[in-house]
Amino acid sequence: MLEILLPILIFAALGMAVIGAWRRVRLWRQGRPSAVPLLKGLAALPRRYLVDLHHVVGRDKVMSNTHVATAGGFVAAAVLMILVHGLGFANPVLGGLLLAASATMFAGSLFVARRRRNPPARLSRGPWMRLPKSLMAFSLGVFLITLPTVGILPAGFGHWLLALLLAAVVAWGLAEMVVGMTWGGPMKHAFAGALHLAFHRRAERFGEGNRSTGLKALDLEDHDARLGVEAPADFTWNQLLGFDACVQCGRCEAVCPAFAAGQPLNPKKLIQDMVVGMAGGSDAAYAGSPYPGKPVGEHHGTPHGPIVAREGTALVDAETLWSCTTCRACVEECPMMIEHVDAIVDMRRFLTLERGETPNKAPEVLDNLIATDNPGGFDPGARMHWAADLDLPLMADLQQVDVLLWLGDGAYDMRNQRTLRALVKVLRAAEVDFAVLGNEERDSGDVARRLGDEATFQSLARRNIATLAKYRFQHIVTCDPHSFHVLGNEYGELGGHYRVYHHSTYIAELHEAGRLAFRPWKGGSVTYHDPCYLGRYNGEFEAPRNVLRALGIQVAEMERSGFRSRCCGGGGGAPITDIPGKRRIPDMRMNDVEATGAALVAVGCPQCTAMLEGVVDAGAEVRDIAELVADALVARPADEAPPPSRQPVLEEEV
């Protein structure tokens, strides 16, 4: 009897899967066009899945092995089941392989069941709670019906009632595993996820050590194009595909600083809201953690309806989007490599450029950037007042140097001026050939871009690029990771290609070259805070620590450090939009510092310095790496001539 029922079940499930797949593809294709190399993407899928994706999944070894057993077992079992029970290629070899695959899948499903017995808060419940049962039903049912194929049981084993029971178990498993992959069940992420990896919006992310973190520019010359994203259908089709790939594991939720602070943002729910909008409906069926302070069931949307409504409710409240610090912790942790930050900034762009709706001090800051080229509205001619006694060389006078020192808008901040003075002292001690732009320098545009004002960003960037084009230098050095990131990763799309160093990296190189000497550290315990735009955005974790080690400091690492460092709360314009929560993000970070027992926290970012020093009753002193280095400088021995300064290499100049 099974010989009749199984082919019917298998091909009926496959037919439903094909119909469901076409339905989901139609949902994705509502989005804007996006050119992707289809064949190249499909050819790259195995490596992207087995290597790049599992590099992220593998951070949790237990779940990584569970995923390999369950997903790998399912793929193998599904293919072999079609051959053995669907097409009738029943032989002991294929049957044996099918038994092994289904047994492996069953073993993985036991770990899934254990995980779901008392799931952590970040995991979505609802339909996901039935997943272990479905996995077990599919794997166990396939295992049992295959036993006669390999001769372990006689071909006619059992009564027709047993055959019906086994067929029902297999049907249950097939419904979830195959049909659920395309009709919106918990396994939907498997189908969407595979195609998402093949047609990823940032294909350059894949490969050993590759990073792609710069925001993509808007074409402001296309007057017919919408500025930003108003409705789900305004995303590109492969962005919608990426949202559909979400497995609702909640890793993004667990690391989001805004969510931890009780602000109305949960990156997992934001992605699920985009899926709801893409298909049309409400968020009432969402079974995970809500936005803090925002009950589930009150938001709804359609593919072409507004994501953020002017009045009433839509998919998302504006303050949810403005809570994001753009720290990229969610993107770094996502096992499906979804780009949350890109989506948030795309939606901010619409609110800022099309509606002119930015909260709190954001309109004032954007007006200042337009009027004075700096967010504080300071006199542009006062940019160099802090260095009146330093006699800094100007690019306008020298025309050509080894290093262009980019000051950033910390030049107007009294606290950061101390860092800049320390960095100048270090460069001079190493006899670096450097100069500054002085009053020719403008804001890099980072704040404007993160607040969604792409027009102001591009205006600032193009003027800076035109200024830089007048001079010759080998590379740019800056103590601001935000300027470092924008100059190095986002100006290129507008024609500005530069080799940019964060000051910690450059100081480390100077020390390794023997151009700096330090006295031993005699202070207390020190910890180091990784800036988001230096670490997660640009992968620089070791250079700052190497500098601290060169000073004789043994770093007391915080629990959340490196690529999992907790944001200080200063990025993405968050201090400007100032969305309230239950607590402050910098307070949480200083709690991390205090847990190490360190008396001092070393930083490498003016934003981080400002945020952490703003914590009331903080138990640790906050100092920039440049300040620590400047304080530790000692003269080199007289008989130790410094290595020759690096001379300009014309073919590398800009």
Side-chain angles (χ1 to χ4, degrees), residues 341-619:
V341 175
D342 282 9
I344 289 172
V345 174
D346 280 342
M347 291 183 277
R348 285 183 176 185
R349 284 169 168 171
F350 176 80
L351 296 179
T352 300
L353 295 173
E354 295 279 7
R355 289 188 182 175
E357 297 175 359
T358 51
N360 297 321
K361 293 184 179 180
E364 177 186 343
V365 167
L366 294 175
D367 286 345
N368 288 339
L369 285 168
I370 294 170
T372 67
D373 297 333
N374 66 81
F378 299 107
D379 178 5
R383 184 179 289 272
M384 295 299 294
H385 285 185
W386 63 276
D389 61 329
L390 295 180
D391 192 25
L392 293 182
L394 296 176
M395 287 299 302
D397 297 331
L398 300 181
Q399 296 294 310
Q400 177 174 322
V401 294
D402 284 2
V403 171
L404 168 63
L405 176 59
W406 185 273
L407 303 176
D409 286 305
Y412 293 105
D413 176 69
M414 292 183 66
R415 173 61 184 89
N416 193 58
Q417 288 167 7
R418 286 158 46 191
T419 299
L420 290 173
R421 293 178 72 90
L423 181 55
V424 169
K425 180 180 178 181
V426 173
L427 295 178
R428 283 180 164 162
E431 300 182 11
V432 174
D433 175 29
F434 78 97
V436 299
L437 290 174
N439 292 338
E440 289 187 283
E441 182 181 310
R442 298 172 177 84
D443 183 86
S444 66
D446 166 75
V447 172
R449 186 164 234 196
R450 270 72 201 169
L451 289 175
D453 191 348
E454 181 73 5
T456 298
F457 164 75
Q458 290 196 21
S459 173
L460 290 166
R462 292 184 191 282
R463 284 186 288 160
N464 278 325
I465 291 169
T467 298
L468 293 172
K470 297 189 300 182
Y471 305 117
R472 290 178 136 184
F473 48 88
Q474 283 189 311
H475 38 257
I476 298 172
V477 173
T478 179
C479 62
D480 178 11
H482 297 262
S483 296
F484 164 66
H485 171 70
V486 169
L487 292 168
N489 297 321
E490 297 186 349
Y491 273 31
E493 201 171 358
L494 303 176
H497 300 278
Y498 314 108
R499 182 190 296 176
V500 188
Y501 283 81
H502 184 254
H503 71 309
S504 65
T505 307
Y506 194 65
I507 291 171
E509 288 194 3
L510 290 175
H511 177 262
E512 290 172 8
R515 297 173 67 175
L516 293 172
F518 308 131
R519 67 173 62 90
W521 173 256
K522 296 186 182 298
S525 177
V526 177
T527 189
Y528 171 68
H529 165 74
D530 290 275
C532 302
Y533 276 74
L534 180 63
R536 273 188 293 271
Y537 272 79
N538 289 282
E540 183 57 276
F541 302 106
E542 288 306 311
R545 290 170 170 82
N546 289 339
V547 172
L548 294 175
R549 293 186 195 106
L551 295 174
I553 295 171
Q554 185 174 355
V555 179
E557 295 286 3
M558 287 179 266
E559 182 178 355
R560 288 186 57 172
S561 62
F563 71 87
R564 283 189 168 141
S565 175
R566 191 196 301 271
C567 178
C568 74
I576 299 167
T577 57
D578 196 23
I579 304 300
K582 293 183 179 179
R583 49 185 176 165
R584 297 176 68 247
I585 295 173
D587 292 348
M588 293 189 294
R589 190 52 172 165
M590 284 304 288
N591 288 339
D592 295 340
V593 171
E594 291 169 5
T596 68
L600 184 149
V601 53
V603 296
C605 172
Q607 293 281 7
C608 297
T609 302
M611 298 303 291
L612 297 181
E613 283 194 337
V615 175
V616 178
D617 298 327

Side-chain angles (χ1 to χ4, degrees), residues 106-417:
F106 184 79
S109 69
L110 293 177
F111 282 93
V112 176
R114 181 182 178 186
R115 178 78 158 177
R116 286 283 166 181
R117 187 179 302 166
N118 186 23
R122 65 178 175 83
L123 287 179
S124 289
R125 291 166 173 76
W128 291 89
M129 298 304 289
R130 70 172 185 257
L131 184 59
K133 304 180 183 67
S134 303
L135 293 170
M136 290 180 184
F138 179 85
S139 56
L140 185 59
V142 171
F143 185 88
L144 292 175
I145 62 174
T146 308
L147 290 176
T149 303
V150 295
I152 295 177
L153 293 176
F157 175 77
H159 193 265
W160 63 270
L161 286 176
L162 180 58
L164 287 176
L165 178 61
L166 288 175
V169 171
V170 173
W172 175 16
L174 279 172
E176 189 71 85
M177 298 298 100
V178 181
V179 178
M181 285 177 61
T182 54
W183 284 90
M187 288 297 292
K188 166 176 63 71
H189 81 282
F191 173 64
L195 296 181
H196 166 59
L197 293 178
F199 309 132
H200 199 283
R201 188 172 186 242
R202 290 180 180 269
E204 61 272 20
R205 277 188 69 183
F206 300 98
E208 187 65 31
N210 288 349
R211 285 182 178 271
S212 173
T213 57
L215 293 172
K216 297 182 182 294
L218 291 181
D219 182 2
L220 299 178
E221 302 301 319
D222 185 353
H223 299 291
D224 296 327
R226 186 179 297 278
L227 300 177
V229 167
E230 178 185 18
D234 292 331
F235 286 109
T236 62
W237 69 268
N238 48 350
Q239 280 181 292
L240 295 179
L241 167 59
F243 302 152
D244 224 12
C246 176
V247 68
Q248 299 192 45
C249 65
R251 287 192 182 188
C252 57
E253 170 188 314
V255 297
C256 177
F259 180 81
Q263 294 174 260
L265 171 63
N266 178 346
K268 180 180 78 173
K269 187 175 190 301
L270 181 68
I271 297 301
Q272 290 306 305
D273 284 344
M274 297 305 103
V275 175
V276 166
M278 174 180 67
S282 84
D283 67 342
Y286 175 71
S289 303
Y291 301 125
K294 303 282 184 181
V296 170
E298 295 184 355
H299 294 77
H300 50 82
T302 61
H304 300 282
I307 293 171
V308 178
R310 286 185 180 271
E311 297 180 358
T313 60
L315 270 177
V316 174
D317 295 326
E319 59 185 6
T320 292
L321 303 180
W322 296 115
S323 295
C324 179
T325 67
T326 67
C327 72
R328 208 172 166 82
C330 52
V331 180
E332 183 73 33
E333 287 292 336
C334 179
M336 297 309 299
M337 305 182 85
I338 298 169
E339 296 284 343
H340 311 66
V341 175
D342 282 9
I344 289 172
V345 174
D346 280 342
M347 291 183 277
R348 285 183 176 185
R349 284 169 168 171
F350 176 80
L351 296 179
T352 300
L353 295 173
E354 295 279 7
R355 289 188 182 175
E357 297 175 359
T358 51
N360 297 321
K361 293 184 179 180
E364 177 186 343
V365 167
L366 294 175
D367 286 345
N368 288 339
L369 285 168
I370 294 170
T372 67
D373 297 333
N374 66 81
F378 299 107
D379 178 5
R383 184 179 289 272
M384 295 299 294
H385 285 185
W386 63 276
D389 61 329
L390 295 180
D391 192 25
L392 293 182
L394 296 176
M395 287 299 302
D397 297 331
L398 300 181
Q399 296 294 310
Q400 177 174 322
V401 294
D402 284 2
V403 171
L404 168 63
L405 176 59
W406 185 273
L407 303 176
D409 286 305
Y412 293 105
D413 176 69
M414 292 183 66
R415 173 61 184 89
N416 193 58
Q417 288 167 7

